[in-house]
Amino acid sequence: MNIHSFIDIGRWQGKAFFGGWRATEGGLLDVADPATDAVLASIGLAGPADVAAAAAEARVAQPAWAAKLPAERAAILNKAADLLERNAEELIGWIMRESGSIQPKAGIEIEHGAGFLRHAAAAAIEPHGLMLPSMDAGRRNFARRVPHGVVGVISPFNFPLVLSVRAIAAALATGNVVVHKPDPRTPISGGIIIARIFEEAGLPDGVLHVLPGGAAAGEAMCADPNIAMISFTGSAAGGSKVGEIAGRHLKKVQLELGGKNALIILDDADVAVAASNAAWGAFLHQGQICMSTGLVLAHESIVGEIATQLAAKAAHLPAGDPSTGKVALGPIISDAQVGKIQAIVDEAVEKGAQLLAGGKPNGRFYPATVLAGVRPGMRAFEEEIFGPVACVASFASDDEAVGLANLSDPGLAAGRISASVGRAQAVGDRLMVGHLHINDQTVNGGPYAPFGGRGRSGNGSRVSGPAIWEEFTQWVWVSIKDQATPYPF
């Protein structure tokens, strides 16, 4: 493999990034291409001892980083964004091979990753305090936002670069330092790339630690006394575990979890446009996105046309090795996940759903699949599948559409498509979700929006946009008297 000097595999092969590149107590882990099983590299696998060492070093480094002028922090973040963009061609190749992404999706990660870095840089120089009224003459009151200290970031495999860098950048911009655990299936895209751009951007030693690891490392982060906050992106089951452990140790927790996201297509919608939206939302990156369109709710007068057009689109989306440049869908991340997808599809068919396209994997390559006649009581209706399966259900009225969409415990994203923006907005305002998209599908994101969900999609917290200062800092109240005065006691 021809490796560009920026990634410099010899620098980090068999190591992790904490206090420089060094070996870990957890041993080595081979990183494989999910499409071919070819080993791409080996990295240092972090264990609890590595987490403890990194967290202790991070706590020592944090005061000096917080004391830097906001413009100095912003300059480093902007330089990291420049490096990400400048080395895009090489980095896109790593993202494709490691996460099973097609080239356009990998390119989105670079584009959005740089966007998150630049937005965090801008946030670093925003005002972060306010004057308060006083009830005492001669006393001045103000409140200011201060960093938590050490922030632990735990990120998933599906958008490994973006879902890591958005929290890391926000934490650094606001004066925190970071201990980051990328998913061990995507430690290069979710960790090594980020360590390299910040290393080259001049981030001081000890401010960022990148420790690929499994559940033991994650649990150690949630319990470590030197880590004040955990930012977690992943499954609801994983988020519940993180929240439980971190809560016992009184840490702040920011959880961004999955969703069973509904796209509601009203009876006045353009059927062809609506089907296009549904296909993109359901099939992009093999459906392995927290905002994927998990449920297509179409009015009964057009549901048959929607399902038919979705099936036609699915049939023209080949699945295979992204490195060939000839596929629309890459591999599912693991054999176990393929098994979960298949079980949900089989159960739906057994309970009366119609399989209109796909439904049978070829190894880790799962074809774009369409299930029509999906209804409550089926796993396909109720569970996040994390695979390329469009689940189509019908409704007879706007009220029924709202009721069906709100049956889901997760509340992340929803889309509505209608010729009437006002009608779509009225429906959307009744949905229990964190993102509402009028005349669009559910897969939307970016550095300027406060991203998060309700219900089992999170704990009401947000990352990015105006939520940066809210989530990654806390208030300190300061009162000032020109001189001390006596009290009656």
Side-chain angles (χ1 to χ4, degrees):
M1 186 183 298
N2 182 23
I3 302 298
H4 187 278
S5 61
F6 178 76
I7 278 292
D8 190 8
I9 192 171
R11 182 187 297 255
W12 52 266
Q13 175 90 315
K15 300 174 183 176
F17 188 71
F18 59 122
W21 297 102
R22 65 195 204 204
T24 58
E25 295 290 332
L28 298 178
L29 176 70
D30 287 340
V31 183
D33 181 337
T36 65
D37 281 328
V39 173
L40 304 174
S42 67
I43 52 97
L45 187 67
D50 302 306
V51 169
E57 291 179 18
R59 186 167 183 176
V60 171
Q62 192 270 332
W65 175 247
K68 281 190 174 293
L69 292 174
E72 293 179 288
R73 296 200 297 270
I76 291 173
L77 288 160
N78 279 322
K79 187 173 181 181
D82 292 342
L83 288 162
L84 195 60
E85 292 171 334
R86 191 179 306 150
N87 294 281
E89 183 178 356
E90 177 199 357
L91 302 182
I92 284 171
W94 281 103
I95 295 168
M96 290 175 65
R97 290 190 297 271
E98 187 183 42
S99 67
S101 302
I102 61 173
Q103 194 276 338
K105 180 268 185 183
I108 288 171
E109 292 225 43
I110 298 296
E111 177 187 349
H112 281 218
F116 280 108
L117 288 161
R118 295 195 197 286
H119 181 67
I125 56 177
E126 291 175 350
H128 51 278
L130 52 87
M131 296 302 298
L132 303 173
S134 178
M135 297 183 65
D136 302 325
R139 183 191 299 272
R140 298 184 302 280
N141 291 282
F142 66 91
R144 58 191 175 93
R145 305 288 303 195
V146 299
H148 298 298
V150 182
V151 173
V153 175
I154 302 174
S155 64
F157 71 86
N158 54 332
F159 270 72
L161 175 65
V162 165
L163 298 184
S164 300
V165 83
R166 68 177 183 179
I168 292 170
L172 294 177
T174 48
N176 299 282
V177 298
V178 175
V179 176
H180 171 46
K181 189 193 84 64
D183 191 293
R185 291 168 290 188
T186 51
I188 301 168
S189 305
I192 300 299
I193 288 174
I194 297 167
R196 286 290 296 124
I197 61 174
F198 277 112
E199 186 179 33
E200 293 296 320
L203 190 70
D205 291 343
V207 174
L208 172 64
H209 304 260
V210 177
L211 296 171
E219 291 180 14
M221 289 172 64
C222 293
D224 193 284
N226 288 310
I227 296 178
M229 172 185 174
I230 299 292
S231 175
F232 173 88
T233 302
S235 68
S240 296
K241 184 74 170 178
V242 166
E244 177 187 353
I245 299 172
R248 288 202 301 266
H249 297 273
L250 301 179
K251 299 181 189 297
K252 179 178 175 64
V253 182
Q254 183 265 316
L255 301 175
E256 195 269 284
L257 311 177
K260 186 66 175 178
N261 310 296
L263 173 62
I264 299 175
I265 304 171
L266 302 182
D267 55 357
D268 60 355
D270 181 307
V271 171
V273 171
S276 174
N277 274 257
W280 179 263
F283 303 142
L284 179 64
H285 194 45
Q286 301 83 261
Q288 297 177 127
I289 307 174
C290 61
M291 309 97 74
S292 288
T293 300
L295 189 61
V296 180
L297 294 172
H299 189 269
E300 61 186 11
S301 65
I302 58 172
V303 67
E305 294 177 82
I306 292 290
T308 298
Q309 292 199 25
L310 258 177
K313 291 180 182 296
H316 289 89
L317 295 173
D321 184 348
S323 68
T324 66
K326 299 177 180 179
V327 301
L329 280 68
I332 300 299
I333 193 65
S334 69
D335 295 334
Q337 182 60 24
V338 171
K340 176 189 173 184
I341 297 166
Q342 191 62 51
I344 292 174
V345 170
D346 289 345
E347 190 244 29
V349 172
E350 289 169 5
K351 289 187 174 183
Q354 296 85 51
L355 182 65
L356 302 184
K360 293 297 179 185
N362 177 17
R364 289 201 190 115
F365 304 113
Y366 206 97
T369 296
V370 178
L371 289 170
V374 174
R375 62 181 186 275
M378 298 178 180
R379 292 176 66 192
F381 187 97
E382 297 167 351
E383 294 185 22
E384 181 182 35
I385 300 176
F386 236 59
V389 183
C391 302
V392 183
S394 69
F395 62 87
S397 67
D398 292 2
D399 286 344
E400 185 182 7
V402 171
L404 289 171
N406 282 340
L407 284 175
S408 173
D409 288 335
L412 187 58
R416 280 83 59 230
I417 298 181
S418 171
S420 168
V421 170
R423 182 182 173 197
Q425 182 71 61
V427 170
D429 287 345
R430 298 163 62 192
L431 301 179
M432 302 297 290
V433 294
H435 320 160
L436 292 167
H437 304 297
I438 304 296
N439 281 329
D440 202 356
Q441 44 75 48
T442 57
V443 181
N444 283 283
Y448 308 110
F451 195 99
R454 299 160 71 174
R456 284 185 61 80
S457 287
N459 59 344
S461 60
R462 297 292 183 269
V463 63
S464 305
I468 285 180
W469 283 99
E470 177 184 348
E471 294 296 337
F472 290 90
T473 64
Q474 56 191 300
W475 285 112
V476 171
W477 169 34
V478 180
S479 76
I480 302 172
K481 295 166 65 174
D482 289 336
Q483 61 182 40
T485 55
Y487 282 87
F489 289 173

